Every structure is written in C-alpha cells, then in structure tokens.
C-alpha cells in the first residue's frame, strides 16, 4: 500500500492493534484508509490486500444466497441424461455419490459428498451467519467471528467448482459412445462457478475482520 510508511519506520511507534500483515510476504502495514472503489496492494509483492466496495456486505450476502440456491438446484436436479440403444439413464449428483456407496468405494463416496456438497454448503452458511446480520444493520450474531474463521479455513476445501471441470472432461470422453443431454443441474453448477468467483472477489477478508472487530463480534 503505497501511501503508508515503510514497515521499518512503523515498528517503533506502532499501535499493534491496527497492524495488518500481507498474507503472501508477511510485510506489516497500518490498516490504511482507502476510499471505496480504490485498491490497496502490498508494496513489496503486489498482492491485493483490500479493495473496499460500496455495499460490499449486502452484495456478498446476495451472492451467497444465490450460490446456496444454485447449489441445492445443482445437487437435486438431473445432471445429465445418457441415451444409448433406446435406454435412458438420468443421473443427479446424489445418484453419482450413491453409485460408489458399496464396499471399498465408500471412502470415495464420503469424500465426494463432503467436498462437493457438505463443505461448500457449510462454508456458505458460515459466511451468511457472519455477515448477514451486519449487512442488515444489526449487531453481529453470537459467534460471528468464529463462523467467519471456519469459512476462511474451508475455502481451499470447498471444491464444487472442480467437480464441473471433471465432469466436462468425462462428457467429452463419453460423448462418442452415447447421446448425452445436459440437465438443469449442469447449468446450475456452471453458474455456481461464476457466482463463487464474484463472491470471493467482493469478499475482502481483511475488511470483514475489521468490521467484525469494530462491531464487537465474538
Ligand atoms: Zn506482500
């Protein structure tokens, strides 16, 4: 963040509570005041630290609600229909997960259910729990800071998006053998990928932490 003093200057007089560290290179900065629409990048490694947006909280909540609805659609509606020699077989994500629920494949089934359905939904709920009351102008809910920490920790593990890439590859392979019809769940997943990227873009962890702290979240 170019307008702050260099880290060395700031240590002697630093008020430790307003120091923030770059998550990539650990350079310390004073929490800067950046106008809405501006960007604060690390002076050393150029990692984007904060990018305040007007109504960011409301937008995050709306995107998270949209993502939750898409997620439920994606899981419960047919993902694709395979037709070959007059036979039709529909498959939803739940069918796919249950297909591996015997014997040695059980761990695979549990891992799929966890990574594709349970973790992303848990993360969305944690984000909504932490942010929705503040977006509506209330005090943070009890345990909001804890919920947001869970959401941050789950981020690398919520892989609904990776599933769609895997499925796209499989579709190309199977496409030659049978007629495939893409179901509504496929499009819900595709939209989910876009919404997730938008939401994570709007969601500056640093600003949410500061807001939670300022409003006395526990
Ligand atoms: Zn940095």
């Amino acid at each position: 963040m170019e307008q702050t003093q260099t880290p060395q200057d700031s240590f002697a007089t630093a008020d430790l509570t307003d120091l923030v560290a770059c998550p990539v290179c650990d350079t310390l900065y004073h929490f800067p005041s950046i106008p809405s629409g501006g960007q604060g990048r690390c002076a050393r490694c150029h990692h984007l630290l904060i990018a305040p947006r007007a109504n960011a909280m409301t937008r995050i909540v709306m995107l998270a609600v949209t993502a939750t609805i898409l997620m439920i659609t994606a899981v419960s509606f047919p993902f694709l229909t395979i037709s070959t020699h007059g036979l039709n077989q529909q498959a939803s994500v739940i069918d796919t997960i249950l297909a591996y629920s015997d014997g040695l494949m059980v761990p695979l089934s549990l891992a799929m259910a966890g990574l594709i359905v349970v973790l992303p939904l848990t993360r969305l709920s944690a984000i909504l729990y932490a942010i929705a009351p503040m977006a509506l102008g209330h005090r943070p809910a009890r345990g909001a800071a804890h919920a947001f920490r869970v959401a941050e920790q789950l981020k690398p593990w919520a892989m609904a998006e990776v599933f769609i890439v895997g499925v796209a590859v499989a579709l190309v392979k199977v496409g030659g053998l049978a007629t495939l019809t893409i179901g509504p769940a496929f499009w819900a997943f595709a939209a989910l990928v876009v919404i997730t990227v938008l939401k994570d873009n709007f969601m500056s962890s640093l600003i949410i932490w500061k807001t939670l702290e300022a409003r006395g979240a526990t």
Side-chain angles (χ1 to χ4, degrees), residues 22-27 29 42-47 49:
C22 169
V24 176
C25 71
D26 284 343
T27 308
Y29 296 97
C42 176
R44 194 185 192 183
C45 72
H46 301 288
H47 179 75
L49 293 176

Side-chain angles (χ1 to χ4, degrees), residues 167-185:
V167 168
V169 173
L171 285 182
V172 173
K173 296 262 182 195
V174 178
L177 306 172
T179 312
L180 296 176
T181 315
I182 288 169

Side-chain angles (χ1 to χ4, degrees), residues 16-200:
L16 292 177
T17 54
D18 84 327
L19 283 181
V20 293
C22 169
V24 176
C25 71
D26 284 343
T27 308
L28 286 172
Y29 296 97
H30 286 290
F31 193 74
S33 53
I34 287 178
S36 181
Q39 286 189 338
R41 283 182 187 277
C42 176
R44 194 185 192 183
C45 72
H46 301 288
H47 179 75
L48 181 61
L49 293 176
I50 59 172
R53 297 272 182 276
N55 302 323
M57 297 274 180
T58 316
R59 290 189 204 187
I60 295 166
V61 168
M62 284 178 349
L63 290 171
V65 169
T66 313
T68 309
I69 295 168
L70 285 172
M71 187 80 212
I72 293 166
T73 313
V75 169
S76 34
F77 282 84
F79 200 84
L80 49 85
T81 309
I82 299 174
S83 333
T84 179
H85 302 106
L87 293 171
N88 276 337
Q89 174 82 47
Q90 280 200 336
S92 70
V93 173
I94 303 240
D95 297 332
T96 317
I97 290 170
L98 291 179
Y100 297 106
S101 60
D102 296 329
L104 284 177
M105 297 300 239
V106 169
L108 179 64
S109 184
L110 291 177
M112 269 181 73
L115 296 175
I116 297 169
V117 184
V118 179
L119 284 186
L121 279 179
T122 310
R123 182 164 181 253
L124 286 169
S125 322
I127 289 171
L128 283 174
Y129 184 80
I131 299 176
M134 292 199 293
L136 296 170
H138 298 291
R139 277 177 50 77
R142 181 190 291 265
H146 185 71
F148 191 62
R149 191 168 301 121
V150 169
E152 291 278 273
Q153 282 166 349
L154 288 181
K155 191 175 178 183
W157 295 98
M159 299 190 199
E161 312 89 273
V162 179
F163 179 69
I164 193 106
V165 178
V167 168
V169 173
L171 285 182
V172 173
K173 296 262 182 195
V174 178
L177 306 172
T179 312
L180 296 176
T181 315
I182 288 169
F186 181 89
W187 300 112
F189 255 113
L192 187 64
V193 174
V194 177
I195 296 284
T196 306
V197 170
L198 281 177
K199 174 175 65 62
D200 287 345

